[in-house]
Amino acid sequence: MSNELAMGWLVAVYLFMLAAFTGYEVIRRVPSILHTPLMSGSNFIHGIVVVGALHALFQADTPLMQAIGFVGVALGAANAAGGYVVTDRMLAMFKPSAPPAPKE
């Protein structure tokens, strides 16, 4: 294993640990009533996965790599669409209901 490859894995593990710690600290300070809207919003933001999967799909040379890229695009798109739908439903919960009927 070359030093460059070993450092690449070390940096990836470091970034993963940093992201996990940051995510834990951010979520821990959010009131529990806001967890669902926050997670649905973050699912929607994860649409960047689609961009990465598209990049992998366009760089694919073999049918196996193309299949993996296609599955990545499909799952990333489903995640983004699901996050959008859930966020929309959560925001609809905060809209005021219909005005009460006038009193006679």
Side-chain angles (χ1 to χ4, degrees):
M1 180 182 293
S2 69
N3 284 342
E4 186 174 313
L5 183 60
M7 287 303 292
W9 279 103
L10 186 62
V11 169
V13 169
Y14 174 73
L15 287 176
F16 177 76
M17 290 174 50
L18 188 62
F21 178 74
T22 303
Y24 175 75
E25 287 297 320
V26 168
I27 294 298
R28 188 174 64 113
R29 295 171 194 261
V30 173
S32 61
I33 194 169
L34 295 178
H35 279 189
T36 302
L38 178 67
M39 295 312 293
S40 65
S42 65
N43 276 348
F44 178 68
I45 292 170
H46 282 147
I48 195 70
V49 170
V50 175
V51 175
L54 281 173
H55 178 73
L57 179 62
F58 292 146
Q59 300 297 322
D61 294 331
T62 65
L64 177 63
M65 292 171 64
Q66 291 173 346
I68 291 172
F70 177 77
V71 169
V73 170
L75 292 177
N79 190 21
Y84 177 76
V85 169
V86 172
T87 301
D88 190 46
R89 290 184 71 184
M90 294 299 294
L91 291 176
M93 292 174 58
F94 293 104
K95 289 182 183 173
S97 58
K103 296 181 181 177
E104 296 177 12

